Amino acid sequence: MISHKKTIQFSPPQWIILGFIILIIIGTILLALPQASADGESVGFLDASFMAVSAVCVTGLAVLEPGGDFSSLGQTIIIVLVQLGGLGFMIFGVSVAILVGKVMGMKYRLLLQPTTNTFSAQGIIRLAMTILLLALSLEAITTIILTIHWSSELGWAEAAYSALFHSVMAFNNAGFTLFDNSMEDYIGDPVVNLSLSVLFIVGGLGFMVLVDLYRQRSLRKLSLHSKLVLVTSAVLLVGGFLFLFIVGLFNPATEGLSLSERLWSAYFQSATARSAGFNTFDIGSMFVASQFFIIVLMFIGASTGGTGGGIKTNTFAILVLATVNTFRSGHQVHAFHRKIALETVMRALAVVVSSLAWIIGATLLLTITEDIYDVHFLTTLFDVVSAFSTAGLSMGLTEELSPIGKVIMMITMFVGRLGPLTLAYALTYKQRPSKISYPEDKVLIG
């Protein structure tokens, strides 16, 4: 008698989710160890879990201070979790396997595809190695620059350690910092502003865009995806800079700043809002208009295939193009003389609607659970969008969260990190076209 055993088969997106969960569990156990704490006592399971989720999801929101509450071991664990969470544990796994001479079959290539957000599994192994080499090279260069720059202030050893820590955080768009007030002490420092911002802007563009730029060496020959990402990112960066600078001119909190510091502050806050998490100016001291504008920037986030979060710049661009096309009564959504498939537009719409639904739900729950702290609504909305978009900026709510609030934010960070990345891919995985065709009818809109 032959027995047939059913084996559980996971799709690539399911493997990614499982991998992130395992990584979070391991990170929680390690961060909860007494040796990981600065005072030799465990920080507790819940707080360790929150920090692990924030690190793996490259968010940067913290209920504990990485520089004050964790030992060197705990900080090293955070660095590893951020690096694995940002670049993708599968990229590291495949790279190590290649280095030891293991041949990667099609199964592993298909698992890598949603991690790198590529259109095809062809050449995926070479791309994974390129991504890893690019990331480590940029982090190493920035580490050297910041080490030299901070050496006179911190000493060579501490400067090198701080430079490495913040370089990894910047490239992976995670806002953890060893300093008490993030980067506020360097508000007018060109080296710090440029070094960190270049890292998280490059990391947020998406690996496919970087590879496309390297291969084509010409803007005209870039793919439609790369063009949309670059143009949208530039518009958001410049637009955000102008808005924050102009509004900041009327803010009494900026009176003590020089013109140079105002310019650097507006630039850095515009760039960091797109998922980086560092800040050189106190977010709570900004006008409400600036705070709300940063919420919008955080919601849009970085680009597909990068280390940042949000609905992604390319998703935002496609919806804007679709809206403009509707106003013009056109029958095609197009950009740069290329037609965009209706399926892509619908997928972008699904990502935005599902993201808004989650943010609204999480904000509503937190206004209930955190009501005892008399928290302002905008503060709650700001931190929820920051968590979902893995931006890492905070107006103070995260540090005061109740146990239930911490759980809600942890789930929000996890969904935000994997939602836009995995759910959009899952929409096209093993789709079965419906065999039923219904008659078309009209519905009034607007």
Side-chain angles (χ1 to χ4, degrees):
M1 184 176 180
I2 300 176
S3 61
H4 298 279
K5 294 182 179 180
K6 292 184 177 180
T7 58
I8 300 176
Q9 294 186 352
F10 294 107
S11 67
Q14 291 170 336
W15 276 115
I16 293 175
I17 293 174
L18 181 62
F20 269 82
I21 292 176
I22 293 174
L23 192 58
I24 288 172
I25 293 174
I26 295 174
T28 299
I29 295 173
L30 293 176
L31 289 177
L33 293 173
Q35 294 84 348
S37 173
D39 59 8
E41 297 182 4
S42 174
V43 298
F45 177 82
L46 183 59
D47 286 347
S49 180
F50 189 99
M51 296 298 290
V53 171
S54 186
V56 173
C57 296
V58 291
T59 304
L61 287 175
V63 291
L64 299 171
E65 293 292 338
D69 295 319
F70 288 99
S71 63
S72 297
L73 174 62
Q75 294 165 5
T76 303
I77 293 171
I78 291 176
I79 292 176
V80 174
L81 292 177
V82 168
Q83 194 77 292
L84 291 175
L87 294 180
F89 59 94
M90 296 196 64
I91 291 179
F92 276 97
V94 170
S95 301
V96 171
I98 292 174
L99 291 176
V100 298
K102 184 176 180 180
V103 178
M104 309 305 295
M106 182 55 67
K107 176 181 178 181
Y108 297 98
R109 295 170 188 266
L110 291 175
L111 287 174
L112 261 181
Q113 188 177 345
T115 305
T116 54
N117 278 274
T118 53
F119 297 111
S120 171
Q122 184 178 4
I124 197 73
I125 303 301
R126 181 180 298 177
L127 175 62
M129 292 295 292
T130 302
I131 291 172
L132 184 62
L133 180 62
L134 173 66
L136 296 181
S137 299
L138 289 175
E139 289 173 358
I141 293 172
T142 306
T143 297
I144 294 173
I145 294 174
L146 290 178
T147 298
I148 297 173
H149 184 66
W150 283 338
S151 59
S152 59
E153 175 187 350
L154 304 175
W156 284 101
E158 187 177 350
Y161 181 74
S162 296
L164 174 63
F165 185 94
H166 292 98
S167 295
V168 173
M169 298 303 129
F171 184 82
N172 291 285
N173 278 247
F176 289 120
T177 175
L178 297 177
F179 306 133
D180 294 336
N181 55 355
S182 190
M183 295 294 162
E184 292 180 24
D185 291 339
Y186 305 98
I187 185 171
D189 191 321
V191 176
V192 174
N193 277 269
L194 284 177
S195 298
L196 294 180
S197 63
V198 167
L199 265 189
F200 56 68
I201 289 174
V202 171
L205 283 177
F207 303 119
M208 287 301 297
V209 176
L210 300 179
V211 172
D212 198 17
L213 282 170
Y214 175 77
R215 290 176 178 173
Q216 300 301 335
R217 310 287 178 88
S218 172
L219 294 178
R220 292 182 179 181
K221 297 180 180 179
L222 293 177
S223 65
L224 175 60
H225 170 79
S226 297
K227 290 179 180 179
L228 284 177
V229 166
L230 291 173
V231 170
T232 307
S233 298
V235 170
L236 290 174
L237 180 61
V238 174
F241 162 74
L242 292 175
F243 182 89
L244 293 176
F245 175 73
I246 293 172
V247 174
L249 292 175
F250 303 96
N251 189 346
T254 64
E255 289 180 355
L257 300 179
S258 64
L259 177 61
S260 174
E261 289 174 333
R262 289 171 185 260
L263 290 170
W264 280 117
S265 175
Y267 159 75
F268 196 87
Q269 263 59 244
S270 175
T272 195
R274 306 261 313 289
S275 199
F278 297 111
N279 62 281
T280 57
F281 187 80
D282 181 22
I283 304 297
S285 299
M286 290 182 172
F287 279 160
V288 173
S290 297
Q291 294 168 345
F292 186 75
F293 189 77
I294 289 178
I295 289 177
V296 175
L297 292 178
M298 290 192 299
F299 180 71
I300 297 172
S303 305
T304 301
T307 55
I311 63 170
K312 312 299 184 183
T313 55
N314 38 303
T315 302
F316 173 73
I318 288 175
L319 287 185
V320 170
L321 290 171
T323 302
V324 172
N325 175 75
T326 301
F327 289 155
R328 291 179 176 178
S329 300
H331 299 288
Q332 291 184 0
V333 179
H334 55 84
F336 299 103
H337 306 291
R338 291 293 185 272
K339 178 183 176 181
I340 299 173
L342 178 61
E343 178 186 2
T344 303
V345 177
M346 296 303 294
R347 194 182 308 134
L349 181 62
V351 169
V352 173
V353 172
S354 59
S355 299
L356 284 173
W358 187 276
I359 289 173
I360 292 172
T363 303
L364 181 61
L365 287 175
L366 285 176
T367 55
I368 298 173
T369 62
E370 312 307 304
D371 187 56
I372 56 175
Y373 299 111
D374 192 27
V375 179
H376 193 275
F377 170 76
L378 186 64
T379 301
T380 305
L381 178 63
F382 189 100
D383 279 36
V384 168
V385 174
S386 178
F388 184 85
S389 302
T390 69
L393 297 173
S394 175
M395 286 179 60
L397 172 66
T398 301
E399 299 174 358
E400 307 294 334
L401 284 172
S402 66
I404 297 178
K406 291 178 182 178
V407 173
I408 294 173
M409 290 290 273
M410 282 192 290
I411 297 175
T412 299
M413 287 188 288
F414 186 79
V415 172
R417 177 67 175 110
L418 294 176
L421 175 71
T422 305
L423 295 181
Y425 175 80
L427 290 175
T428 59
Y429 185 78
K430 288 187 177 180
Q431 282 189 336
R432 296 181 178 179
S434 175
K435 297 181 180 180
I436 302 175
S437 179
Y438 295 98
E440 184 177 305
D441 207 339
K442 295 183 179 180
V443 177
L444 297 177
I445 299 294

